[in-house]
Amino acid sequence: MEIQGKVKMIDETKTYGSNGFRKRELVVTTEEQYPQHIMIEFVQDKTDLLDAYKEGDTVKVSINLRGREWVNPQGETKYFNSIQGWRIEKQDAGAAGQDMPPIPPMDAFEPANELNEEDHDDLPF
């Protein structure tokens, strides 16, 4: 899955526990009718991917959805979801999501003046 938008915030890398688990959070604001602020976490060696980015960059982030189950001390089962990033790419602000070249204006085409509608063409439609 992928999320596209503008980088709103990049947090510092934080280290947890005695085994040195590393995590870094990124917030991307989607560019749609109702923009969403999506928090994506990068873990372990993927935290370094964010070093090349800054707030305001337009990016495409490849993500995985993660879910886990936890039983609290009272015996109740709780479920948690997280969004984990594993790749990030800078996008052109003006061409995000567009792979086609711009269409030339209509005045760039010459009109077809010598059109004979009785000419047969071999197109089936």
Side-chain angles (χ1 to χ4, degrees):
M1 298 166 112
E2 295 176 340
I3 295 175
Q4 291 186 10
K6 281 194 186 290
V7 173
K8 181 177 178 120
M9 185 271 301
I10 301 176
D11 203 3
E12 297 297 317
T13 301
K14 295 181 178 148
T15 305
Y16 300 92
S18 57
N19 63 355
F21 178 79
R22 297 183 327 151
K23 181 169 106 170
R24 192 170 186 187
E25 295 177 343
L26 164 78
V27 176
V28 172
T29 302
T30 62
E31 298 173 337
E32 52 196 346
Q33 182 177 1
Y34 301 104
Q36 302 294 307
H37 305 287
I38 308 293
M39 196 276 292
I40 304 164
E41 54 187 39
F42 287 74
V43 297
Q44 299 299 72
D45 61 329
K46 301 297 184 194
T47 60
D48 298 335
L49 295 176
L50 300 178
D51 291 343
Y53 297 89
K54 64 185 184 321
E55 292 178 8
D57 285 346
T58 301
V59 295
K60 177 170 65 172
V61 184
S62 298
I63 62 164
N64 289 326
L65 293 177
R66 299 281 186 215
R68 64 184 179 89
E69 179 180 87
W70 175 69
V71 179
N72 70 14
Q74 292 78 31
E76 300 170 322
T77 302
K78 304 281 184 178
Y79 296 92
F80 297 92
N81 297 320
S82 63
I83 301 171
Q84 221 169 63
W86 54 274
R87 179 172 49 195
I88 182 169
E89 303 171 50
K90 208 172 273 194
Q91 301 289 293
D92 255 350
Q98 296 179 4
D99 293 335
M100 296 178 54
I103 298 172
M106 284 302 291
D107 59 1
F109 297 98
E110 293 184 28
N113 294 330
E114 298 176 17
L115 182 64
N116 183 353
E117 297 208 15
E118 292 179 12
D119 281 346
H120 176 71
D121 63 25
D122 58 354
L123 295 176
F125 47 88

